[in-house]
Amino acid sequence: MHKTAIAIHGGAGTITQANLSPEQDKAYRAALKKAVEAGHQVLERGGSALDAVELAVVHLEDSPLFNAGRGSVFTKEGKHEMDAAIMCGKTLEAGALAGVRSIKNPVKLARAIMEHSDHVILSGYGAEEFALSYGLEFAPEAYFFDKYRYEQWSEVRDSDIFMLDHTAQRDEKFGTVGAVAVDQEGNVASATSTGGMTNKRYNRIGDTPIIGSGTYANNQTCAISCTGHGEFFIRAVVAYDVSCLMEYKGYTLQKACEEVVLKKLVKFGGEGGLIAVTPSAEVALVFNSEGMYRASKSTGEETLVAIYKE
């Protein structure tokens, strides 16, 4: 029986103690702790890594604090467009979706696409039609309305500016949530979900639903979920690059993550971070920004919850 471990993130970016009130700090930590411990309970009961990452991400999607699911930001048109992905390290099967507007928990739809379709990525109305056929829960527009997100959008809706979740005047962060886990069988899995960019146009899609960029899992190496400026993560093929460094160069998980996030990404201006776990339950939480909402829990160890640079 393998040691189990799970790690989650709730976004990265300019997150400092100066721009989070004590109340906000406490709320974020509580939400992260609840999500990571829910996922870890699944693992300790003998559940799969897939079930654990899905449940942890559902918890984060259900919280208005994070830019995914209920807390998704507004697009240029005042709507919500959500992306998500999930991947199984044992089979290399994956499911993803882009640009859905009324799915309560996009990560559940990603799982359904992986398990019940012959495809990897579905988008827009087609993805929602698929969700309907499998009885997934929809939510009305009012469910996704958040006063803070609305004010955020109001500041820029009459301009061509798009924002990565928050303006510099607020706590600029790259809003994505994600989870990675390894179960008692030694199988790894990853899941990622996002509401994208505030005021985004043209059905823009980031790295979250792109397998190998924002989400990846392989039992030969690790499971990874990313958060950051999606365009850079797509161009750098970040998640798969970490896996490749482990597989072909023999790097440790930590070394591979640092090589990609602290060197490769930084060289061409990519900001953000990632979480990763190996089949042997090594965990890495690496970011090049001011902070990253993150938490992890391993068998027999205390729950780690952190926000800022240590």
Side-chain angles (χ1 to χ4, degrees):
M1 204 167 68
H2 288 73
K3 180 181 177 183
T4 66
I6 184 169
I8 65 171
H9 69 75
T14 312
I15 306 162
T16 64
Q17 284 175 293
N19 54 26
L20 275 190
S21 70
E23 293 77 21
Q24 287 174 316
D25 181 291
K26 188 177 178 182
Y28 276 111
R29 288 179 190 274
L32 290 165
K33 188 172 190 287
K34 183 180 176 185
V36 80
E37 290 182 349
H40 194 254
Q41 280 176 6
V42 171
L43 299 171
E44 289 297 280
R45 290 196 300 263
S48 71
L50 276 169
D51 287 344
V53 296
E54 180 183 348
L55 181 62
V57 169
V58 163
H59 273 269
L60 297 171
E61 286 178 339
D62 287 346
S63 168
L65 292 173
F66 304 102
N67 177 18
R70 187 175 190 178
S72 293
V73 297
F74 287 83
T75 66
K76 178 76 173 176
E77 297 162 342
K79 304 288 185 184
H80 300 89
E81 290 177 2
M82 298 168 282
D83 307 334
I86 195 166
M87 186 165 183
C88 172
K90 181 181 180 180
T91 63
L92 299 186
E93 290 177 326
L97 55 110
V100 301
R101 292 190 167 181
S102 13
I103 305 296
K104 187 182 178 191
N105 291 110
V107 72
K108 290 186 178 183
L109 175 53
R111 178 83 180 261
I113 291 167
M114 178 180 76
E115 294 182 341
H116 303 298
S117 83
D118 296 324
H119 312 299
V120 173
I121 304 179
L122 300 182
S123 68
Y125 294 120
E128 294 193 349
E129 190 180 342
F130 181 87
L132 200 60
S133 69
Y134 281 92
L136 290 167
E137 189 174 356
F138 282 64
E141 270 193 42
Y143 173 80
F144 300 102
F145 181 88
D146 178 75
K147 187 171 182 288
Y148 173 72
R149 300 290 189 206
Y150 184 79
E151 288 172 356
Q152 203 181 325
W153 171 62
S154 297
E155 291 176 6
V156 293
R157 65 183 173 188
D158 296 324
S159 70
D160 288 329
I161 297 168
F162 59 83
M163 301 187 304
L164 288 154
D165 195 13
H166 293 272
T167 63
Q169 288 74 38
R170 295 177 185 263
D171 57 334
E172 184 173 270
K173 71 180 175 61
F174 310 113
T176 309
V177 306
V180 295
V182 58
D183 59 31
Q184 292 179 6
E185 303 295 317
N187 296 317
V188 298
S190 64
T192 316
S193 183
T194 186
M197 293 175 166
T198 296
N199 213 40
K200 70 175 184 177
R201 302 173 74 179
Y202 313 122
N203 305 116
R204 175 261 182 191
I205 297 165
D207 64 306
T208 292
I210 299 178
I211 303 304
S213 289
T215 308
Y216 189 70
N218 187 333
N219 276 8
Q220 300 305 308
T221 52
C222 61
I224 297 165
S225 174
C226 300
T227 173
H229 194 311
E231 279 68 16
F232 291 97
F233 280 68
I234 292 168
R235 288 158 54 199
V237 201
V238 167
Y240 187 61
D241 206 25
V242 170
S243 175
C244 282
L245 286 171
M246 294 178 68
E247 186 172 3
Y248 302 128
K249 278 201 160 186
Y251 280 24
T252 63
L253 178 69
Q254 189 69 26
K255 185 180 179 183
C257 292
E258 289 179 357
E259 179 71 27
V260 176
V261 177
L262 305 184
K263 295 181 182 177
K264 182 178 179 179
L265 269 176
V266 170
K267 273 182 187 172
F268 72 123
E271 188 181 352
L274 57 79
I275 53 172
V277 68
T278 65
S280 58
E282 292 172 74
V283 172
L285 312 159
V286 180
F287 55 99
N288 61 33
S289 48
E290 289 290 326
M292 180 169 76
Y293 296 111
R294 62 202 186 275
S296 66
K297 189 167 180 63
S298 302
T299 304
E301 294 180 18
E302 289 292 307
T303 304
L304 166 81
V305 180
I307 297 177
Y308 318 108
K309 272 187 179 172
E310 297 302 319

